[in-house]
Amino acid sequence: ALGTVTGIAGARRFAVNFVGQAGHAGTTPMALRQDAFQALSTFNQRINERFSAVATPETVWTLGHAELSPNASSVVPGLARFALQWRDGDRERLIHMEKIMREVAAEVAHEQRVKIELGEVGGIEPAAMDSRLKQALRTAAEDLAPGKWLDLPSGALHDAANVSQVMPSAMLF
């Protein structure tokens, strides 16, 4: 019935462009293609494998936005623009995942014979909730819903993450 938040996951967002060579789908031989979408596809598969190897059950990542150019059914895509986001409650894991992401992007660009343009990493740091306030919420949760509450991390971003930088904070779901 209730959840006392142990901490709020940090998040990283990274914009990537794979730049290949647009070409006619019927006349560009497969061996000569520099298909930006194939690079994106390979990247997505590989990042899932590599992130899975370091993830905990609370670690999440999403390639939730992608654009192809020229985005026509009879043209080999010359540009794949996308954004990858990953979240975790451990700052060191977030940093390690960034390193993995950069390595995978470079490997794929080399293998697929496309150029890579990497944006700046943006995001926020993980935020622990105040232990005293968490205990007060646990006590209240047990009083209101005996045996029907739990401690849990928040993967969603909340204002409490920013507030925790300047004063003790806690959350109850």
Side-chain angles (χ1 to χ4, degrees):
L2 298 170
T4 59
V5 177
T6 56
I8 300 171
R12 299 291 189 273
R13 183 181 182 281
F14 204 79
V16 180
N17 293 339
F18 283 126
V19 182
Q21 179 66 49
H24 191 282
T27 62
T28 306
M30 296 304 286
L32 298 180
R33 292 183 183 202
Q34 293 174 288
D35 188 327
F37 177 72
Q38 292 305 316
L40 167 59
S41 178
T42 301
F43 174 87
N44 187 56
Q45 178 182 8
R46 199 164 295 164
I47 206 71
N48 283 328
E49 293 168 358
R50 303 266 179 91
F51 276 5
S52 291
V54 300
T56 70
E58 289 80 33
T59 309
V60 296
W61 59 93
T62 303
L63 196 157
H65 172 78
E67 297 175 24
L68 300 178
S69 179
N71 202 26
S73 61
S74 63
V75 180
V76 175
L79 174 66
R81 176 178 293 126
F82 63 97
L84 178 69
Q85 184 182 98
W86 60 98
R87 298 178 186 213
D88 194 272
D90 183 299
R91 182 177 186 276
E92 294 306 312
R93 185 171 295 107
L94 290 171
I95 292 167
H96 184 62
M97 291 172 78
E98 178 182 342
K99 181 180 177 210
I100 291 169
M101 191 281 310
R102 289 177 182 276
E103 289 170 356
V104 169
E107 288 170 14
V108 170
H110 176 75
E111 292 168 13
Q112 298 287 331
R113 297 176 298 118
V114 297
K115 294 178 186 156
I116 187 166
E117 298 172 349
L118 302 176
E120 294 295 317
V121 174
I124 66 166
E125 296 301 319
M129 299 290 93
D130 180 75
S131 59
R132 220 171 28 98
L133 293 175
K134 281 191 301 189
Q135 188 54 50
L137 289 176
R138 289 178 181 128
T139 301
E142 183 61 30
D143 288 346
L144 292 171
K148 295 181 179 174
W149 66 275
L150 67 145
D151 283 331
L152 63 130
S154 175
L157 305 178
H158 294 280
D159 291 340
N162 293 326
V163 173
S164 73
Q165 303 302 309
V166 294
M167 63 186 289
S169 300
M171 291 181 63
L172 180 70
F173 291 145

